[in-house]
Amino acid sequence: MITDVVSMTSAGLDGYKQYTPGMNISCKPWTKKSPPRRILAIRLQAMGDVVITLPYLQCLRNALPSEGRLDFLTREETEDIPKNIDLFDNVYSIGGARSFRRQLWSTFLLLPQLFLQRYDVIIDLQNNMLSAIVRKILLPTAWSAFDRFSPTPAGERNRLTIEAVGLGINQMDTRLRPRRPFLATTILKSRGLNETEKLVVLNPAGAFVTRNWEMYKYVSFARQWLQLWPETKFLVLGTSFIAEKAVFLENELGNHFHNMVGQTTPSEVFSLLQRVTLVLSEDSGLMHMAWVSGTPVVALFGSTRSDWSRPLGRHSLVLDSSDLPCGNCMQATCRRGDVLCLSRLSPEEVFARAVSLLEKLNRSASRHDVDGDLNPLVDHGGR
């Protein structure tokens, strides 16, 4: 992991820039000997990007004294998960939906309340115009701002932005506790599901055709899985965006499938993902919810830039397009016309890679038991 600061120079109108290998993080570090009393972290959009910040902010929370306060500023559309995990003292939200003008007005209305908190440190994990306004008007003693453009995974950029504020080494901690610890159990029981059986989430939720694996391959994957674990239930969660695909899977998998599309809030999905055996997912917010929870994830990345968006940790496996000349193109329509980056992945290969991932995690868990490692989740995640 990158941890060393290479150099520090004056830059810009509002402070300093910290240079780490391959990255450029603006910051003014905390230099006092005593820890800060009040910290505000900011991430405004989108749901997947908001949840990526959480395991790194959990590590920061662990390092704070008991009287230290960690608050979070986000948007109303993305507040549900931050408000329903045991991490933040307060979660503030900006309204305005998709209108920048209304978001700006909502920000100004919220600023007096934020100013009264007298934040010592602001960690700006958004770094756009709205977050910069908040950061500059609140006049914190120390601050840091997210590097938006370096070709580095978002999780690592979050980690380094938190580290740059000068409060010590940061790493991934996936032990994110729901405020309602029995929520997932309640949801499963209400739908006639046994929480002790294997649950696998299939998530064909990529936004474009260049991020979509063929649906019949999900079915083939599931049938191979059932040959090893016949009592498995496959779940589809999320929004109506994938409702048609969920119906297709339900028709093909019958009693082994449970359609929960549109029946859960984001925080309920987040709780459920902490109970499942595996998530097989295209690039989406749900995929990020899974890996930040330490849940084993097989991520199918077509046109998505995996150097920006890939899940991290030993519990994550990414099958991406970076080896192709046209890979990581970020295009909604394939210029080749065949979406080779995803169509080349057979269900047999994906199934074999998924089983290999789970076997590796099981071996690692066994070693932790033997070695007496009491904290195997910190840094890399895992179940």
Side-chain angles (χ1 to χ4, degrees), residues 203-206 211-213 218 245 280-284 287 300:
N203 188 45
R211 300 179 187 180
N212 296 155
W213 201 39
Y218 281 98
K245 293 179 178 180
L280 175 62
S281 178
E282 296 162 9
D283 178 28
S284 66
M287 182 270 296
L300 305 174

Side-chain angles (χ1 to χ4, degrees), residues 352-363:
R353 298 289 293 273
V355 172
S356 178
L357 172 66
L358 294 177
E359 290 175 344
K360 180 187 71 173
L361 294 175
N362 287 336
R363 288 194 300 270

Side-chain angles (χ1 to χ4, degrees), residues 105-180:
W105 178 244
S106 180
T107 301
F108 280 117
L109 291 177
L110 186 60
L111 278 171
Q113 184 179 0
L114 295 176
F115 191 82
L116 290 175
Q117 308 308 312
R118 305 295 183 186
Y119 289 110
D120 302 303
V121 173
I122 293 181
I123 303 172
D124 182 356
L125 300 171
Q126 181 70 49
N127 197 11
N128 67 1
M129 184 179 293
L130 291 177
S131 64
I133 288 171
V134 173
R135 173 163 43 90
K136 293 175 183 180
I137 288 180
L138 296 189
L139 300 173
T141 301
W143 55 269
S144 61
F146 186 71
D147 181 343
R148 295 172 56 190
F149 302 110
S150 292
T152 304
E156 183 69 356
R157 283 180 280 153
N158 280 312
R159 185 185 74 80
L160 289 172
T161 303
I162 296 169
E163 206 166 87
V165 86
L167 300 178
I169 299 297
N170 189 259
Q171 55 190 5
M172 183 198 308
D173 187 344
T174 62
R175 297 170 299 179
L176 301 166
R177 299 180 298 273
R179 291 191 182 275
R180 294 177 288 171

Side-chain angles (χ1 to χ4, degrees), residues 75-107:
R75 289 174 53 204
E76 289 179 350
E77 293 90 336
T78 56
E79 68 179 11
D80 185 43
I81 293 175
K83 280 190 171 182
N84 284 284
I85 58 173
D86 189 17
L87 174 56
F88 302 111
D89 293 282
N90 294 288
V91 175
Y92 299 98
S93 303
I94 292 171
R98 298 295 180 91
S99 166
F100 177 76
R101 181 177 296 181
R102 284 184 288 166
Q103 290 176 18
L104 185 62
W105 178 244
S106 180
T107 301

Side-chain angles (χ1 to χ4, degrees), residues 6 34 66-67 73 77 94 150 166 181 183 198 210 212 221 225 234 245 303 311 327-328 331 340 381 383:
V6 176
S34 59
S66 58
E67 66 274 13
L73 175 62
E77 293 90 336
I94 292 171
S150 292
L183 177 60
K198 285 188 181 296
T210 52
N212 296 155
F221 173 93
W225 182 283
F234 295 95
K245 293 179 178 180
S303 64
N328 290 346
Q331 299 299 310
L340 174 64
R383 306 307 289 165

Side-chain angles (χ1 to χ4, degrees), residues 228-281:
L228 288 182
W229 298 287
E231 301 304 318
T232 299
K233 288 291 191 299
F234 295 95
L235 309 180
V236 171
L237 308 166
T239 68
S240 58
F241 173 71
I242 58 172
E244 186 175 333
K245 293 179 178 180
V247 170
F248 173 83
L249 292 171
E250 188 171 18
N251 290 336
E252 293 292 327
L253 298 175
N255 293 334
H256 291 284
F257 183 83
H258 203 85
N259 186 352
M260 298 176 67
V261 168
Q263 301 176 33
T264 50
T265 65
S267 60
E268 289 172 339
V269 171
F270 195 68
S271 293
L272 286 168
L273 289 173
Q274 296 181 348
R275 296 295 187 91
V276 306
T277 299
L278 180 78
V279 174
L280 175 62
S281 178

